[in-house]
Amino acid sequence: MARIIVFVNQKGGVGKTTSAINIGATLALHHKKTLLIDFDPQGNLTSGIGGKLTHNNIYHVISGLTDIKSVIQPLPVPRLFLAPSSVDLSGATIELVDKPDRNDYLRRAIAPVLDEYEFILIDCPPSLGILTLNGLAAATEVIIPLQCEYFALEGLSLIIQTIGLVQKSINPNLKIGGILLTMFDVRNRLSHRVVEEVRGHFGNKVFKTVIPRNVRISESPSHGLPIILYDVKSRGAVAYMDLAHEILYNGRA
């Protein structure tokens, strides 16, 4: 049975999609068969990992027009696969809103492949709307990427509250896999203060690995490559390899 990790933050630009791509790639390099699900209508994960835009995608799966196996495509990293997205998925926010089982569509969609992968990673839109709720309902674990800047802290309590509501009413098996500190600038005193405050409040729920602000990480999606293929010796690549090791062996996510 796959470990299903969803990446959630209602703020954009916090490294959510970048982390989903690079954690997935590094898990695959650890010989873990991994499926990336782009559940964001913007499709940034699909383009950022070099995925192909096809007629059928994850929208058509949750709409019942096709099954998930028909949309999955292999990626350049061995053992890494993608269920792509497209702007079509934005229509789901309207189509599902009046459905009594509106939070269960993704969970049902991925059920046929749960035994085929060791990890399933779900990238959600930067919101706490119906698509993100579907991701939380389908997942076993949630990772919260958090940018090392002051305003990032303001939305964290809302995310934690939302996860608590999902645990009570939709998915009692969901756990917080970890808070992932991203875009850390070692020269910036505020970055250090944010790290101290988050660790002080959340303790061992925070990953030990901190993802640095690194130009090579920023460049790699434009080439459709994870950082480990774009520049394996960069600080960003080393950080994501450390993070994958932490996920696999430290038992947090």
Side-chain angles (χ1 to χ4, degrees), residues 149-201:
E149 294 185 358
Y150 174 75
F151 289 113
L153 290 169
E154 292 187 340
L156 186 55
S157 59
L158 179 58
I159 300 171
I160 300 296
Q161 182 182 6
T162 301
I163 292 169
L165 292 173
V166 170
Q167 289 169 325
K168 288 180 182 178
S169 59
I170 301 173
N171 184 1
N173 297 317
L174 180 68
K175 68 177 184 178
I176 296 178
I179 297 169
L180 174 61
L181 294 163
T182 65
M183 302 183 187
F184 176 76
D185 187 345
V186 69
R187 302 163 298 177
N188 189 324
R189 189 174 300 175
L190 179 59
S191 284
H192 290 274
R193 285 179 54 193
V194 170
V195 171
E196 290 173 6
E197 287 191 37
V198 174
R199 292 199 190 282
H201 279 92

Side-chain angles (χ1 to χ4, degrees), residues 21-100:
I21 288 172
N22 289 299
I23 292 171
T26 48
L27 288 172
L29 284 185
H30 278 84
H31 301 278
K32 303 297 180 183
K33 190 178 180 183
T34 300
L35 173 64
L36 296 171
I37 296 179
D38 190 348
F39 210 56
D40 184 345
Q42 296 179 85
N44 289 337
L45 186 148
T46 299
S47 60
I49 194 66
K52 299 176 182 177
L53 295 176
T54 57
H55 176 69
N56 287 329
N57 53 65
I58 195 65
Y59 166 75
H60 301 92
V61 177
I62 65 168
S63 297
L65 300 174
T66 190
D67 64 277
I68 192 164
K69 293 183 181 181
S70 70
V71 306
I72 292 173
Q73 54 186 255
L75 292 168
V77 179
R79 296 172 295 276
L80 186 63
F81 299 82
L82 169 69
S85 179
S86 78
V87 70
D88 295 336
L89 189 58
S90 60
T93 60
I94 299 170
E95 295 168 14
L96 299 182
V97 69
D98 292 326
K99 305 284 188 181

Side-chain angles (χ1 to χ4, degrees), residues 184-187 210-217 227 231-242:
F184 176 76
D185 187 345
V186 69
R187 302 163 298 177
V210 176
I211 306 301
R213 187 177 291 278
N214 178 241
V215 67
R216 304 300 275 174
I217 294 179
I227 187 61
D231 187 352
V232 72
K233 295 182 179 179
S234 68
R235 291 187 300 120
V238 171
Y240 276 112
M241 286 188 281
D242 289 344

Side-chain angles (χ1 to χ4, degrees), residues 91-160:
T93 60
I94 299 170
E95 295 168 14
L96 299 182
V97 69
D98 292 326
K99 305 284 188 181
D101 57 348
R102 57 185 172 272
N103 297 317
D104 289 327
Y105 277 72
L106 183 58
R107 177 161 51 189
R108 290 199 298 266
I110 66 175
V113 296
L114 293 183
D115 291 328
E116 296 184 19
Y117 296 90
E118 292 172 86
F119 283 89
I120 296 175
L121 308 187
I122 305 168
D123 183 37
C124 290
S127 73
L128 297 178
I130 194 164
L131 295 179
T132 297
L133 288 175
N134 265 261
L136 290 167
T140 56
E141 305 150 20
V142 54
I143 288 178
I144 307 168
L146 188 71
Q147 190 174 359
C148 291
E149 294 185 358
Y150 174 75
F151 289 113
L153 290 169
E154 292 187 340
L156 186 55
S157 59
L158 179 58
I159 300 171
I160 300 296

